[in-house]
Amino acid sequence: MFILIASYSKNPAEVEPQIKAHGEWVSRYLKEGIFLFAGPKKSGLGGIIAVQSISKEKLLQIMAEDSYVQADVADYQIIDFDCKATQSTLEALKLA
């Protein structure tokens, strides 16, 4: 499983034109079940995406499609981890 932490690398005015395409990208992979959840940081300067367990190569291919990456307006921190414990309502994440 991966956690992606996006942080804007440009000012918000430069990010704004990419927001719609970025949202469509997130929605696509949520519908496909590859992204588990996503949302903006409270600061409004980036966001978080949880990704099911896939190969790092596949993850990088998916990330290359993101308008934020293509426009070079955000940097991503990629955290790779194994989900070992959850609340009972989130048991499926241990298998993701």
Side-chain angles (χ1 to χ4, degrees), residues 17 25 31 42 58 65 68-69 71 73 75 84-85 88 90:
W25 172 77
K31 286 177 188 166
K42 293 228 180 214
K58 178 69 174 170
E65 299 171 12
Y68 285 2
V69 171
V73 296
D75 295 319
K84 298 290 185 183
S88 60
L90 300 174

Side-chain angles (χ1 to χ4, degrees), residues 2-52:
F2 296 96
I3 297 292
L4 305 179
I5 303 173
S7 299
Y8 293 169
S9 58
K10 304 285 196 256
N11 68 56
E14 291 179 75
V15 175
E16 205 280 323
Q18 306 305 322
I19 291 173
K20 182 177 182 212
H22 172 76
E24 291 168 353
W25 172 77
V26 170
S27 292
R28 172 185 171 193
Y29 286 103
L30 282 168
K31 286 177 188 166
E32 289 185 19
I34 292 174
F35 292 173
L36 302 170
F37 58 82
K41 293 179 182 177
K42 293 228 180 214
S43 69
L45 299 175
I48 307 291
I49 301 171
V51 183
Q52 70 168 316

